């Protein structure tokens, strides 16, 4: 777990509550909501995570059990219309969430409509106050790298949740040169304060990466580059004790994220153990953070 009393900028790793849905690990506790809640949180704590990211249907019981275990929290939500941003931010701030990631819009908005959404999120974040990180996600106003960079030029105060598998696969980042794309999205990487951990390849946005071996899974190298560069920028800009959040978010086959393949009996099984893969992703993120810190220290950046 991260040292929350450190004066140095830190990486805080949380587990996604959505990712725990339908995990085989908790199959034996299904049918007993109270036991399932406690089992999940106990395992999150034992695995060394700093907390949990909940969606907007969180309960007071969930938050109370997190507090009892010393687990931190974060939230995720959606803003479809400008008038929704304020009430959502107020509700999350009142519940004690220190920050939230947001899907904003559906991606079909005109430039003016998207601008009003961004302005509403920024106003809500300032008014309540709670940091609101707009996510790079399909079916949102930030589903496209060009549009995101363009809006960041207009609204440089926006901060980002980088869920880069949506872009890596959906925008085929290797087509036309990955390094070219990396340079182009530098304004995005400069503003990342939250990362959703999921690795895709050029054809599928959530894949098994085994133990993270880059020879067997060359696209892992690209995600390490994305995460490390974003972490470098965070470290150069962060105030003492600032936090960057990393949340493995390997989602269920029921919503068509996790892939399934037939076993020897023709029964569809998940491609991987999502709990174990989440730990692999967390380990990669921690390695990236250490490398980012080394680079910043070597370059006389802010961190020492």
């Amino acid at each position: 777990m991260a040292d929350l009393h450190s004066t140095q900028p830190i990486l805080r790793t949380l587990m996604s509550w959505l990712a725990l849905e339908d995990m085989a690990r908790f199959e034996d506790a299904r049918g007993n909501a109270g036991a399932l809640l406690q089992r999940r949180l106990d395992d999150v704590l034992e695995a060394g995570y700093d907390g949990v990211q909940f969606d907007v249907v969180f309960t007071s019981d969930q938050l109370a059990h997190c507090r009892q275990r010393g687990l931190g929290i974060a939230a995720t939500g959606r803003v479809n219309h400008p008038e929704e941003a304020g009430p959502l931010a107020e509700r999350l701030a009142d519940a004690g969430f220190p920050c939230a990631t947001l899907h904003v819009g559906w991606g079909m908005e005109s430039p003016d409509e998207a601008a009003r959404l961004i302005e509403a999120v920024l106003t809500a974040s300032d008014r309540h106050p709670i940091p609101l990180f707009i996510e790079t996600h399909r079916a949102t106003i930030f589903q496209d790298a060009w549009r995101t960079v363009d809006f960041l030029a207009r609204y440089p105060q926006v901060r980002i949740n980088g869920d880069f598998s949506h872009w890596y696969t959906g925008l085929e980042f290797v087509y036309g040169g990955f390094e070219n794309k990396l340079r182009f999205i530098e304004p995005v990487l400069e503003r990342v304060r939250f990362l959703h951990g999921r690795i895709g390849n050029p054809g599928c946005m959530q894949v098994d990466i085994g133990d993270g071996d880059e020879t067997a899974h060359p696209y892992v190298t690209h995600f390490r580059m994305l995460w490390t560069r974003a972490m470098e920028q965070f470290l150069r800009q962060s105030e003492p004790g600032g936090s960057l959040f990393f949340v493995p978010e390997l989602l269920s086959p029921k919503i068509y994220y996790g892939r399934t393949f037939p076993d020897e009996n023709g029964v569809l099984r998940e491609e991987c153990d999502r709990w174990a893969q989440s730990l692999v992703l967390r380990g990669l993120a921690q390695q990236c953070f250490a490398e980012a810190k080394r680079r910043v220290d070597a370059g006389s950046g802010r961190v020492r």
Side-chain angles (χ1 to χ4, degrees):
M1 298 181 73
D3 179 5
L4 302 185
H5 302 292
S6 173
T7 59
Q8 295 293 316
I10 59 172
L11 178 69
R12 298 183 65 182
T13 62
L14 279 61
M15 171 52 78
S16 164
W17 195 251
L18 292 172
L20 297 176
E21 289 296 318
D22 304 312
M23 271 194 182
R25 180 182 185 87
F26 304 107
E27 182 68 35
D28 59 342
R30 290 199 185 123
N32 185 329
L36 181 59
L37 168 62
Q38 297 201 50
R39 168 78 181 284
R40 285 174 171 176
L41 293 179
D42 286 343
D43 282 12
V44 166
L45 180 63
E46 185 178 349
Y49 287 100
D50 298 303
V52 178
Q53 184 179 25
F54 291 102
D55 62 18
V56 292
V57 294
F58 65 89
T59 67
S60 58
D61 196 37
Q62 289 172 334
L63 303 189
H65 278 285
C66 283
R67 286 193 295 270
Q68 290 169 10
R69 291 164 173 79
L71 289 169
I73 55 174
T76 184
R78 171 169 267 285
V79 172
N80 297 325
H81 304 286
E83 62 271 19
E84 296 172 353
L88 177 60
E90 182 177 21
R91 176 174 173 245
L92 296 177
D94 287 349
F97 286 97
C99 64
T101 64
L102 295 180
H103 294 187
V104 178
W106 291 111
M108 299 177 289
E109 292 79 7
S110 70
D112 287 344
E113 290 170 333
R116 286 194 290 272
L117 281 166
I118 294 170
E119 290 166 3
V121 169
L122 292 172
T123 298
S125 181
D126 288 340
R127 182 171 294 165
H128 288 293
I130 178 174
L132 300 173
F133 306 126
I134 302 179
E135 188 166 332
T136 60
H137 197 287
R138 297 170 300 164
T140 73
I141 60 171
F142 281 4
Q143 67 184 355
D144 175 79
W146 185 91
R147 195 182 204 199
T148 304
V149 169
D150 186 57
F151 271 122
L152 291 179
R154 294 174 58 184
Y155 300 102
Q157 66 271 47
V158 166
R159 292 298 177 264
I160 297 293
N161 172 32
D163 193 342
F164 290 120
S165 66
H166 291 271
W167 284 5
Y168 186 82
T169 303
L171 301 180
E172 200 167 359
F173 258 37
V174 297
Y175 191 36
F178 176 77
E179 289 76 12
N180 295 333
K181 309 290 179 68
L182 192 65
R183 284 192 294 271
F184 182 77
I185 66 167
E186 186 67 24
V188 179
L189 300 177
E190 290 172 358
R191 292 165 173 82
V192 169
R193 296 298 178 269
F194 206 108
L195 286 160
H196 273 165
R198 181 189 305 104
I199 288 179
N201 64 29
C204 297
M205 62 173 290
Q206 180 173 304
V207 298
D208 179 11
I209 60 166
D211 62 0
D213 177 54
E214 296 176 53
T215 302
H217 310 282
Y219 34 88
V220 171
T221 300
H222 291 157
F223 279 83
R224 290 181 69 115
M225 292 169 69
L226 284 163
W227 295 347
T228 302
R229 185 60 183 145
M231 291 169 177
E232 274 189 78
Q233 292 290 356
F234 161 73
L235 289 169
R236 293 185 191 282
Q237 300 171 40
S238 177
E239 297 299 324
S243 294
L244 175 69
F245 293 83
F246 182 89
V247 179
E249 194 187 47
L250 300 179
L251 300 177
S252 167
K254 287 188 176 180
I255 55 173
Y256 307 104
Y257 274 70
R259 300 192 297 179
T260 58
F261 296 94
D263 64 14
E264 63 276 9
N265 298 314
V267 178
L268 288 176
R269 304 289 185 188
E270 281 202 54
E271 177 183 25
C272 66
D273 177 340
R274 284 185 283 128
W275 177 268
Q277 280 284 285
S278 296
L279 294 174
V280 172
L281 291 173
R282 185 183 67 175
L284 290 176
Q286 290 167 334
Q287 293 170 20
C288 291
F289 195 75
E291 172 61 17
K293 187 176 185 303
R294 185 195 65 77
R295 293 180 187 178
V296 172
D297 286 346
S300 300
R302 175 171 293 199
V303 175
R304 288 291 181 187

